[in-house]
Amino acid sequence: AIAVVSIGIVLRKAIDLGERRGRFVSAVTHELRTPLTTFRLYSQMLASGQVADEAKRTRYAQTLDRESQRLSAIVESVLEYARLGRRSGAATMQRTTAAELLDRVRPTLVGRAERAGMALELPDADALPAASVRADADRVERILLNLVDNACKYACDADDKSIELTAEARDGRLLLTVRDHGPGVPAAERARIFAAFHRAKHHESSPSPGLGLGLALSRGLAREMNGDLRLLDEPTGAAFELSLPLTA
């Protein structure tokens, strides 16, 4: 009986590994296909001299630049996810405050929201918790940018185009919450929302690109800082809470 159970466990793990590899290959292949096709087409046209109009040449060059940034982001996300749990984060953890963290990330987050035609609302400096946390500011910025980016992608059609970022200290933790007023996360998808390379079914046909890796990576980065990332149970919209331990 023990042998049968052991074999079953091994088979289950092998199947799970195969499924994860399948999701990885499918997601990465899907995301690479469009930028690579654009690169091949536009670079051939520019190299062969088919584009004589200077305005078109400039536009094509700008498109190639955007697609190169997209490719870089895909590669960096995959590599960053692969590094989770394989490094020590102690070297980059520094004592900081909510005000310092939000002051650092404000331009990036506000810029992302504005490009999507949305407005990011952040708390005033005097309303922020004064307590300190020990965190990696780069990782916090990446997590918050992922959350704001998701809000821009999936709540862009909402009547209320605001995104709210709030901060509070509670039970020994700094809580940074990003809320939008979009369709939210269906109950059937909530259990898998943090799975790597998983995109909710109602988002699979979305024109917004994505590996389905942002939330899995963000939670992993949060846990490397002894924090966590969770989806809150909200009646409308989506709300994600990043928690970081306060220092004594």
Side-chain angles (χ1 to χ4, degrees):
I2 294 175
V4 171
V5 172
S6 299
I7 292 173
I9 293 174
V10 171
L11 287 175
R12 180 68 262 177
K13 289 184 176 180
I15 292 172
D16 289 343
L17 178 60
E19 290 177 347
R20 289 197 298 272
R21 286 176 174 172
R23 289 198 301 270
F24 169 78
V25 172
S26 177
V28 173
T29 300
H30 176 76
E31 285 303 303
L32 292 179
R33 183 179 292 119
T34 298
L36 288 177
T37 299
T38 302
F39 254 99
R40 183 177 182 182
L41 176 62
Y42 282 20
S43 61
Q44 286 178 343
M45 293 176 67
L46 290 171
S48 63
Q50 295 180 39
V51 186
D53 184 81
E54 187 61 30
K56 283 187 177 181
R57 290 174 62 89
T58 300
R59 189 164 64 250
Y60 285 10
Q62 291 172 342
T63 299
L64 290 175
D65 180 62
R66 285 196 304 271
E67 292 302 301
S68 69
Q69 293 180 38
R70 180 176 167 185
L71 284 171
S72 296
I74 291 171
V75 172
E76 181 58 31
S77 292
V78 173
L79 292 177
E80 186 71 11
Y81 183 75
R83 286 193 290 263
L84 288 176
R86 299 182 182 180
R87 61 192 170 190
S88 171
T92 55
M93 300 282 279
Q94 296 181 346
R95 188 184 181 95
T96 186
T97 65
E100 291 170 340
L101 284 174
L102 294 188
D103 186 58
R104 173 189 174 119
V105 305
R106 185 184 302 268
T108 301
L109 302 186
V110 169
R112 176 63 184 98
E114 289 179 345
R115 288 193 298 275
M118 304 185 75
L120 179 65
E121 300 176 359
L122 294 101
D124 294 331
D126 56 4
L128 292 171
S132 297
V133 296
R134 190 168 180 80
D136 183 328
D138 288 336
R139 296 182 196 180
V140 172
E141 180 174 12
R142 180 151 196 170
I143 294 168
L144 294 178
L145 180 58
N146 275 333
L147 298 180
V148 171
D149 186 62
N150 279 350
C152 291
K153 289 178 181 178
Y154 304 125
C156 59
D157 294 328
D159 293 333
D160 186 341
K161 297 187 181 298
S162 64
I163 304 170
E164 302 161 10
L165 198 166
T166 60
E168 66 172 310
R170 187 173 72 239
D171 299 327
R173 305 184 80 80
L174 172 64
L175 306 178
L176 300 173
T177 305
V178 176
R179 289 184 174 86
D180 65 52
H181 301 277
V185 181
E189 298 288 345
R190 295 177 69 87
R192 300 188 61 196
I193 195 68
F194 289 101
F197 306 108
H198 172 73
R199 296 188 75 196
K201 290 183 179 179
H202 66 299
H203 289 158
E204 287 176 350
S205 59
S206 170
S208 300
L211 280 173
L213 191 57
L215 289 176
L217 175 58
S218 294
R219 173 176 272 186
L221 293 173
R223 290 179 173 177
E224 283 191 333
M225 295 184 288
N226 299 316
D228 205 356
L229 179 67
R230 67 189 186 104
L231 172 65
L232 301 181
D233 189 8
E234 298 283 304
T236 59
F240 290 89
E241 179 188 86
L242 169 63
S243 64
L244 298 168
L246 298 176
T247 58

